[in-house]
Amino acid sequence: MPQTLHATGALPVVVVLGTGGTIAGRAARPDDLVSYRAAEVGVSDLLGGVPGPVGVQIESEQVAQLDSKDMDLVVWQRLCDRARHHLARTEVAGLVITHGTDTIEETAFVLQALLQPHKPVVLTCAMRPATALAPDGPQNLSDALVLACQTRAHGVLVVCAGKIHGPAEVSKVHTYRLDAFDSGDAGPLGAIEHGVVHHWRPWPEANSSGVPDERQRWAAFQAMANLPRVEMLYSHACADGRLVRTLLADVHLNGPEQLRGLVVAGAGNGSLHHRLQAALLEAVEVGVRVVRASRCAYGRVAPSQGDPFENSGGLSPAKARLALALALMGS
Ligand code: SIN
């Protein structure tokens, strides 16, 4: 627990891990908010424009430099490893991770599943590049630093546009608005207003955050070359199940190409076109785990008795995919 910091008399440290994203983006012109390149500005330069909370020592480390659409297992392994290393340091109050908005919710999920941290691990981002006329990154980073040194906060958190989101609920819901994230029916965990943290719902805890506790799979996660293969597909008008049957050809492959699971984003309450449903039942019969999620941004698929498919438990399709892939590790 982090409260030993003040007892030692040392300045608390917040470590900022850079991974890239639009927050580190650079455009040829300051009015260009579209054709910029993400992941260009180093994390120490990003911090140069942000004063940081008084009485807190800031350290930074560039863990990766990528557009988060290209996020992969190698970067997650390294990020989890560096986060775990710094969290174990007594003098560290919390971490900030700068990240692209496109897959920040997936990284938050993976970090919470594998670390279940007792200190705050605050992911933050930006919708405008660092070179914009009015960039949003510096304020988000400043808010994240404030939250990362709150001794009572813990768990993996996502901060954007003054809101604090939890790792199970957070989703990117807008393509260009600065306030691009939403926490569905649950709502944000809190807000940061004028440098003050307002806390509305409990911080994420192991076993009650909505993210499975996968700490026992740490060694397997760090050692693997690929996550177990889980594909994601939609139900939609005219769906015919052909995509599923094409994928089923890969069930008998060996190694990382072997199909292990499918997440289907059903319409509404997870409902599936009957032809797609028939193909997914064939998948279950040959040992593929099939999870039912929803295309809807709000609500969860109500479990029904005798459902042949697993239920995503309110997770978005992308997070249900990760939950299943992590669960399949080592099996
Ligand atoms: C990215 O996700 O790295 C690029 C887009 C963004 O950060 O908004």
Side-chain angles (χ1 to χ4, degrees):
M1 293 287 177
Q3 57 269 36
T4 49
L5 282 172
H6 301 303
T8 65
L11 276 189
V13 174
V14 170
V15 182
V16 184
L17 303 177
T19 72
T22 292
I23 190 169
R26 203 193 308 269
R29 293 170 49 107
D31 59 353
D32 181 355
L33 302 180
V34 179
S35 309
Y36 61 89
R37 281 190 311 276
E40 291 259 309
V41 183
V43 64
S44 53
D45 289 338
L46 296 182
L47 284 162
V50 176
V54 175
V56 173
Q57 201 183 319
I58 312 278
E59 293 177 11
S60 68
E61 183 177 324
Q62 194 77 48
V63 172
Q65 188 64 299
L66 84 167
D67 185 320
S68 80
K69 71 180 172 54
D70 298 324
M71 184 53 69
D72 61 21
L73 178 63
V74 172
V75 177
W76 275 342
Q77 285 166 328
R78 182 162 167 72
L79 183 60
C80 285
D81 184 58
R82 297 313 293 156
R84 192 159 97 144
H85 165 80
H86 290 296
L87 287 167
R89 294 169 54 199
T90 317
E91 70 278 20
V92 169
L95 308 184
V96 168
I97 299 173
T98 57
H99 198 290
T101 59
D102 286 346
T103 58
I104 197 171
E105 64 212 62
E106 293 177 57
T107 297
F109 188 90
V110 168
L111 285 164
Q112 180 68 30
L114 288 156
L115 296 172
Q116 303 285 337
H118 296 298
K119 298 177 184 178
V121 174
V122 187
L123 288 103
T124 196
C125 54
M127 292 297 286
R128 291 180 180 162
T131 51
L133 287 171
D136 53 327
Q139 185 61 55
N140 287 342
L141 185 50
S142 173
D143 288 346
L145 290 168
V146 167
L147 182 56
C149 52
Q150 296 283 308
T151 50
R152 275 188 291 266
H154 59 260
V156 177
L157 307 164
V158 174
V159 162
C160 184
K163 292 184 186 146
I164 307 167
H165 300 277
E169 304 88 12
V170 64
S171 283
K172 187 172 180 181
V173 292
H174 205 279
T175 54
Y176 62 84
R177 280 191 200 144
L178 303 191
D179 190 2
F181 290 88
D182 192 276
S183 285
D185 291 325
L189 300 180
I192 305 173
E193 290 170 1
H194 313 298
V196 177
V197 174
H198 301 278
H199 179 211
W200 302 325
R201 292 201 291 118
W203 302 117
E205 298 282 354
N207 298 320
S208 67
S209 68
V211 178
D213 183 351
E214 299 290 9
R215 282 174 292 184
Q216 79 284 0
R217 298 187 205 266
W218 174 266
F221 178 81
Q222 286 298 340
M224 68 173 48
N226 298 91
L227 279 171
R229 183 169 169 210
V230 178
E231 300 288 352
M232 217 162 55
L233 65 156
Y234 269 60
S235 184
H236 50 83
C238 314
D240 60 11
R242 263 189 291 181
L243 183 53
V244 173
R245 292 193 179 96
T246 303
L247 287 166
L248 289 187
D250 293 352
V251 168
H252 304 294
L253 298 177
N254 287 320
E257 286 86 28
Q258 184 189 25
L259 181 73
R260 306 286 308 281
L262 290 170
V263 173
V264 59
N269 188 30
S271 62
L272 304 173
H273 193 293
H274 68 93
R275 287 196 287 260
L276 176 60
Q277 165 128 351
L280 289 169
L281 286 170
E282 289 167 28
V284 172
E285 267 166 36
V286 294
V288 175
R289 286 181 61 179
V290 178
V291 174
R292 188 198 293 271
S294 174
R295 294 173 7 179
C296 292
Y298 283 77
R300 56 176 56 220
V301 175
S304 62
Q305 254 194 340
D307 189 342
F309 308 125
E310 299 173 48
N311 189 296
S312 73
L315 293 175
S316 68
K319 289 183 195 171
R321 193 194 80 82
L322 285 171
L324 181 54
L326 292 173
L328 283 166
M329 271 191 310
S331 65

